[in-house]
Structure formats: structure tokens, C-alpha cells
Amino acid sequence: AQRVTQPEKLLSVFKGAPVELKCNYSYSGSPELFWYVQYSRQRLQLLLRHISRESIKGFTADLNKGETSFHLKKPFAQEEDSAMYYCALSEGNQFYFGTGTSLTVIP
Amino acid sequence: DVKVTQSSRYLVKRTGEKVFLECVQDMDHENMFWYRQDPGLGLRLIYFSYDVKMKEKGDIPEGYSVSREKKERFSLILESASTNQTSMYLCASSYLAGELWYEQYFGPGTRLTVT
């Protein structure tokens, strides 16, 4: 069963516009959730994790247990945010990734 | 800084060849993983290992095997490469970063083309 769902394969926004990348999960316990990002020609890297409640590069993500969501948000998109974004859920030492959302920020 | 390295960035092999993809991490991480990354399908786990000589099948192990003889090295083997194994292969390692959660580090990937 798919544990992590990212409904949007492609997302385009204009520079300066708000952006939200959606992630829904399926997990009965208390999930450990992450957002990973892959910039062009770079390796996949951790963007943020819900447990630390931090903001990285202006991005935030709030865990909503009622809606089983962990959407990634940024109030003002920048061109350098164009990348592939993956939502991931950790269960013990295993990770489950969504299918990814390719974000393009239009200048 | 954690380093996860993969033996090749690009590899071209013929159908039926035996292919070895090597991954090395330098941070003494217990867990290592092999994924394949395909457009529209995201990352799919092939195999993972939580200790030397230990391995567990992931979601798509068919056609692949793995070897972990040393803690720092995790090899992915395609016994007889087929064209549907053309893909980007990502290696990762992880460690227990908090009380209950792990953090993963990825290698740069190997783009394998099977002709």
C-alpha cells in the first residue's frame, strides 16, 4: 500500500507567488516525515523534517494528523526553488518516498 | 560531512551482462539502501541492509541481488541486465539521528543504460 502520496507530478508558479506542495501519508502511528529535494544535477538531500519544526530556505511543513498531511509551503517562491521534491515517511529504519513533484518557478 | 560515493556516474551495458554497482559511505552508518529513480514513479526501494551480511528485500527486488561484506560498502548486482533495468540508481545510508528517527544521505546516483 502506498504510504506517501504526492498528487501533483508537476507544479509551476511565478516568482514571488506562494507555493504549496502536497503530501498525504498513510500510517497508523506517529509518523516521522521528511521533505527531500533534488536540484538539477545534484544529489537528493534532506530539506526539512517535521520533528525539528524548522524553516529551511523559507520552506515550512506542518504535520496535520487529522488530515494525514505534511504539505510543504513557501510564501514567496524563488527561481532557485525549481527542483524535484519528495515527501518521505520513516518507519523504523525504512523510508517510503512519494512519487515526487517537479516544481518550476517561472521568472 | 557525510560522503556517500557511487562507483560510476554513467554506465552502459548490454542485455544479459552482469552489472555491479558499488556504493561506499564513510560515516560508519549501519543502514544502507539501494533505490531506483524513474520519472513519475519516484524512488523505489530495491534492497536495504541494516548490518554486515544482512539484507532485506524492498519493493522491487526482482532481477537484483546485493552484497554487504563490509560495513561501509553495499553492492547492487544485476545478474543478467535487461532493458527494463535502465534507470537511475541511488544509494543511501542512514543513521539513528534522534531517539526514534533516522536521517538518510544519498549518493550522486548511477545512470545505467542497458542496450
Side-chain angles (χ1 to χ4, degrees):
Chain A
Q2 186 70 28
R3 284 181 170 79
V4 180
T5 303
Q6 293 179 252
E8 305 139 329
K9 288 188 176 173
L10 303 169
L11 185 63
S12 296
V13 300
F14 285 101
K15 178 182 173 181
V19 61
E20 180 179 71
L21 290 86
K22 291 183 168 51
C23 172
N24 288 90
Y25 66 90
S26 172
Y27 189 71
S28 57
S30 292
E32 302 293 344
L33 288 158
F34 306 81
W35 277 97
Y36 282 80
V37 61
Q38 189 171 30
Y39 301 103
S40 179
R41 299 186 181 279
Q42 293 188 29
R43 67 182 67 195
L44 198 61
Q45 57 187 291
L46 179 67
L47 179 62
L48 57 79
R49 47 190 174 257
H50 95 271
I51 198 167
S52 57
R53 305 182 70 82
E54 58 200 341
S55 172
I56 303 293
K57 299 185 179 183
F59 284 98
T60 58
D62 291 319
L63 176 61
N64 185 323
K65 289 187 178 181
E67 296 182 359
T68 60
S69 69
F70 187 58
H71 303 328
L72 183 69
K73 300 177 184 179
K74 185 170 182 177
F76 307 103
Q78 302 298 315
E79 289 179 64
E80 55 266 28
D81 296 329
S82 293
M84 191 73 172
Y85 292 81
Y86 292 95
C87 182
L89 181 150
S90 166
E91 182 179 12
N93 59 4
Q94 282 204 58
F95 284 76
Y96 300 92
F97 286 84
T99 50
T101 297
S102 177
L103 174 66
T104 301
V105 180
I106 304 164
Chain B
D1 206 19
V2 177
K3 283 279 186 343
V4 181
T5 57
Q6 295 182 229
S7 51
S8 306
R9 291 300 303 271
Y10 300 94
L11 210 52
V12 180
K13 295 292 181 180
R14 293 192 183 277
T15 301
E17 278 193 85
K18 191 169 186 175
V19 182
F20 292 87
L21 302 182
E22 302 282 333
C23 175
V24 177
Q25 51 96 0
D26 67 356
M27 286 300 291
D28 204 36
H29 289 176
E30 290 84 10
N31 306 313
M32 296 188 75
F33 306 79
W34 275 106
Y35 297 90
R36 59 178 286 177
Q37 183 183 30
D38 299 288
L41 297 177
L43 272 71
R44 292 180 292 167
L45 181 65
I46 304 171
Y47 269 96
F48 76 98
S49 169
Y50 52 88
D51 202 351
V52 174
K53 296 191 185 294
M54 305 302 288
K55 61 185 179 185
E56 292 281 345
K57 292 181 180 179
D59 298 320
I60 52 164
E62 296 79 18
Y64 303 95
S65 63
V66 291
S67 172
R68 193 163 181 204
E69 296 296 319
K70 293 184 178 181
K71 192 173 187 180
E72 68 270 18
R73 189 179 297 269
F74 192 35
S75 303
L76 180 69
I77 303 150
L78 287 66
E79 295 290 341
S80 177
S82 63
T83 54
N84 63 11
Q85 292 178 309
T86 291
S87 186
M88 173 69 87
Y89 289 87
L90 300 183
C91 175
S93 68
S94 77
Y95 73 106
L96 188 61
E99 193 175 295
L100 290 172
W101 59 274
Y102 289 77
E103 183 165 334
Q104 275 198 326
Y105 290 86
F106 283 86
T110 295
R111 183 164 293 284
L112 173 66
T113 302
V114 183
T115 61

